[in-house]
């Protein structure tokens, strides 16, 4: 959580952009991101140079060791001012971003020393359109000065900075691109509990919120006591020191995000880099398109250990352009159903997923809806459903949603339900944070889920599970797959939750009538008395 002076500094810079004429929040985030990105590349080169000095080995360079190449480094241009700085960024630095991620050669001045540039993955592809849109030179100078002061050497702080910038998108809600609330993402990650050996995907990654928060979760969980420190403001920081054996896997193989909005791909690539993952596989691809079979044939089927997603659930697709194997699972044009089917296919056997779906997926009566629910129950393990309150996505959408928790393969014996009534925020358009008892069910839902999973994994009897979760008047309860199948695979929580009605007792109507007549007589007597006084 970003607090204090740093947060105020970013707010001030944000205001400068607005007063300088840049009012699109996504553009502001992009422009600040480019500057942070430029500085971080220089910091990476500094580390490589120090390492080379210690070991006596050649420098694994990003920047060509020429006068022109060295001028691309932050430390060599950030002190420039006015028109010179503007021209240098626009014509030299930003075009150079587009070269990142490719194999270096003699022509770029890096030769065999340039393997670090290749390690930056796909980011160069999405930087082709990177452009300096800050026309006001004083705004540009202020932005460069502020970015120069940011504590980017602290890995978790730079992630927090970017998360705070992205939170402005929620406030603004432009282009219909609003983020999944971070506390819902965090809850889903805790429910699935990813491991540092997993391969994790978000098939519609947007700003890469699920992937970046997973990295934060792993860093927090895999920090030793010596790897946790407290800063002067009392904030705890986690170094993730226990992740070192998995660092290469994390950097190059763990994270996969797909989207077909190039702006979002730029933002998500930088988001992952600022969370300490240089080589995340952020890829341009419509996950439902048949072209995925050509571009990512390995990743489209039996590949991922974990999928975390909040796929778009509005609109329908052109069937002729949709992956035929997904249509084979569920014949529909509805994106919400197709995404669940795609996620099922992309998981490896035993892979697990947490996916947000609109309530219609749970009870829709069309053939496709029933076909998908039957597939989840009979050919996979649909393990849990967390029913979310309808205000979770306000102010942008009031639709009721739920989190599906499932594992690929096997068959479903029973489904665990949780009736989440409160998520810690008001359910109106303001979404004000709430405190006090009963204001947040998420911690209880996570704790009860893990209690339930421990019972299941210990091979305890069905009777024992029913003893713990058989009471359908509670927030958490289980329903057998046979009962669900008998109800046309209806998965809506209201179908199974039992509500206790308390009998209200009222007075006899005759007594109430006599009392009303008495009141009327008193009123008439008062009116007669009033009339007598006139």
């Amino acid at each position: 959580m970003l607090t204090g002076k740093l947060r105020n500094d970013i707010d001030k810079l944000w205001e400068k952009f607005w007063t300088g004429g840049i009012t699109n929040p996504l553009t502001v985030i992009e422009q600040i991101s480019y500057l942070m990105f430029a500085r971080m590349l220089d910091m990476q080169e500094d580390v490589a140079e120090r390492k080379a000095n210690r070991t006596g080995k050649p420098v694994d360079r990003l920047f060509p060791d020429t006068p022109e190449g060295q001028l691309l480094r932050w430390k060599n241009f950030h002190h420039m001012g006015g028109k010179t700085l503007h021209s240098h960024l626009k014509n030299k630095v930003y075009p150079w971003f587009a070269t990142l991620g490719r194999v270096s050669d003699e022509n770029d001045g890096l030769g065999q020393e340039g393997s670090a540039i290749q390690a930056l993955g796909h980011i160069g592809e999405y930087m082709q359109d990177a452009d300096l849109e800050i026309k006001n030179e004083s705004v540009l100078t202020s932005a460069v000065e502020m970015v120069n002061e940011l504590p980017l050497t602290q890995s978790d702080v730079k992630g927090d900075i970017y998360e705070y910038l992205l939170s402005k998108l929620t406030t603004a809600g432009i282009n219909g691109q609003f983020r999944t609330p971070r506390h819902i993402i965090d809850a889903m990650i805790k429910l699935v509990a990813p491991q540092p050996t997993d391969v994790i995907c978000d098939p519609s990654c947007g700003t890469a919120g699920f992937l970046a928060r997973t990295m934060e979760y792993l860093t927090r969980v895999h920090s030793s006591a010596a790897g946790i420190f407290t800063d002067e403001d009392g904030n705890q920081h986690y170094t993730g020191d226990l992740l070192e054996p998995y660092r290469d896997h994390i950097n190059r193989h763990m994270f996969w995000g797909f989207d077909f909005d190039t702006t979002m791909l730029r933002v998500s690539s930088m988001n992952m880099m600022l969370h300490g993952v240089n080589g995340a596989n952020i890829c341009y691809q419509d996950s439902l398109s048949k072209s995925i079979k050509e571009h990512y044939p390995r990743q489209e089927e039996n590949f991922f250990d974990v999928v975390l997603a909040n796929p778009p659930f509005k609109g329908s697709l052109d069937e002729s352009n949709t992956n035929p194997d997904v249509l084979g699972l569920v014949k529909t044009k509805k994106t919400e159903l197709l995404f669940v089917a795609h996620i099922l296919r992309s998981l490896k056997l035993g892979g697990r997923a947490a996916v947000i779906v609109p309530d219609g997926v749970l009870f829709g009566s069309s053939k496709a809806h029933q076909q998908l629910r039957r597939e989840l129950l009979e050919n996979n393990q649909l393990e849990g459903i967390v029913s979310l309150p309808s205000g979770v996505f306000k102010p942008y959408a009031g639709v009721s949603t739920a989190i599906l928790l499932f594992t690929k393969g096997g068959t479903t014996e029973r489904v665990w339900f949780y009736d989440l009534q409160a998520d810690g925020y008001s359910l109106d358009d303001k979404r004000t944070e709430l405190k006090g008892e009963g204001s947040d069910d998420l911690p209880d839902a996570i704790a009860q889920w893990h209690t339930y999973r421990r019972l299941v994994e210990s091979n305890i009897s069905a009777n024992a599970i029913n003893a713990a979760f058989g009471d359908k008047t509670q927030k958490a309860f289980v329903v057998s797959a046979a009962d669900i199948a008998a109800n046309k695979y209806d998965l809506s929580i209201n179908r199974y939750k039992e509500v206790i009605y308390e009998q209200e007792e009222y007075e006899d109507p005759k007594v109430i009538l006599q009392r009303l007549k008495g009141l009327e007589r008193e009123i008439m007597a008062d009116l007669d008395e009033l009339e007598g006084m006139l």
Side-chain angles (χ1 to χ4, degrees), residues 403-475:
I403 301 169
L404 290 184
L405 299 158
F406 55 87
T407 298
K408 184 170 180 173
T411 55
T412 305
E413 287 184 37
R414 69 188 73 78
V415 179
W416 177 87
F417 285 85
Y418 192 94
D419 187 14
L420 196 102
Q421 296 286 338
D423 71 335
Y425 293 82
S426 64
L427 296 172
D428 54 17
D429 285 355
K430 292 182 180 175
R431 296 288 279 149
T432 310
E433 189 171 1
L434 302 176
K435 301 287 184 188
E437 191 177 347
S439 61
D440 189 1
D441 292 336
L442 284 170
D444 181 58
I446 294 164
Q448 296 228 39
W449 165 254
H450 287 298
T451 301
Y452 168 69
R453 291 304 305 162
R454 279 193 293 275
L455 290 176
V456 172
E457 287 163 10
S458 64
N459 290 321
I460 203 167
S461 70
N463 287 340
I465 291 177
N466 281 333
F469 289 99
D471 184 354
K472 295 185 176 62
T473 64
Q474 300 298 309
K475 286 185 175 176

Side-chain angles (χ1 to χ4, degrees), residues 168-188:
K168 305 276 191 184
L169 276 183
T170 306
T171 307
I174 48 100
N175 300 334
Q177 294 161 321
F178 52 88
R179 309 174 316 144
T180 309
R182 267 26 189 178
H183 62 290
I184 298 294
I185 289 180
D186 290 342
M188 290 169 67

Side-chain angles (χ1 to χ4, degrees), residues 188-205:
M188 290 169 67
I189 292 169
K190 287 176 183 172
L191 289 168
V192 174
Q195 300 300 308
T197 52
D198 284 337
V199 179
I200 301 169
C201 174
D202 180 351
S204 52
C205 67

Side-chain angles (χ1 to χ4, degrees), residues 273-294:
M273 188 176 173
L274 289 165
H275 278 84
V277 184
N278 279 355
N281 300 281
I282 303 296
C283 307
Y284 179 89
Q285 178 64 48
D286 176 353
S287 292
L288 298 181
S289 167
K290 62 184 180 186
S291 64
I292 194 172
K293 296 182 78 65
E294 178 187 347

Side-chain angles (χ1 to χ4, degrees), residues 158-171:
K158 66 192 178 195
D160 285 349
I161 292 168
Y162 209 65
E163 283 289 304
Y164 183 63
L165 286 171
L166 290 173
S167 74
K168 305 276 191 184
L169 276 183
T170 306
T171 307

Side-chain angles (χ1 to χ4, degrees), residues 196-239:
T197 52
D198 284 337
V199 179
I200 301 169
C201 174
D202 180 351
S204 52
C205 67
T207 61
F210 280 105
L211 304 179
R213 299 296 281 200
T214 297
M215 189 61 227
E216 286 188 17
Y217 166 84
L218 291 171
T219 303
R220 196 166 52 250
V221 171
H222 295 274
S223 290
S224 67
I228 303 172
F229 65 94
T230 305
D231 67 17
E232 55 195 17
D233 293 329
N235 301 313
Q236 276 200 324
H237 296 277
Y238 300 86
T239 59

